[in-house]
Amino acid sequence: HVGQRGRDTQRQSTLAASARRANMRDAFVCHRDLTGAHVAIVDDVVTTGHTARALAACLRRAGALRVDLYAVARA
């Protein structure tokens, strides 16, 4: 795992769409140098995209050049 949750968050499914972005703010940390890397996020379900967006931002701050998202379902 490259990006990991740095703090406990509420389950996104229990929150209104408007609260999900705030719940994910600074939720992830990355302790690796990803300079120039191509990283894939694999998720089961994407609803609002706030979790994937927050993780992708964390990976980009760590230097990832490209971040792709693969999901089984879109709700």
Side-chain angles (χ1 to χ4, degrees):
H1 298 294
V2 175
Q4 298 178 349
R5 288 197 192 248
R7 64 176 177 83
D8 289 333
T9 58
Q10 290 182 295
R11 290 181 51 105
Q12 290 288 81
S13 61
T14 66
L15 300 174
S18 59
R20 292 179 180 198
R21 180 182 299 162
N23 188 47
M24 288 291 101
R25 188 170 294 119
D26 299 322
F28 295 99
V29 295
C30 183
H31 298 291
R32 270 193 206 171
D33 178 9
L34 298 175
T35 302
H38 176 187
V39 181
I41 298 170
V42 179
D43 201 353
D44 55 349
V45 178
V46 174
T47 304
T48 62
H50 292 305
T51 303
R53 195 172 294 116
L55 179 54
C58 174
L59 297 170
R60 297 287 303 241
R61 284 191 302 272
L65 184 62
R66 178 176 167 179
V67 179
D68 290 339
L69 171 64
Y70 299 95
V72 175
R74 171 95 178 154

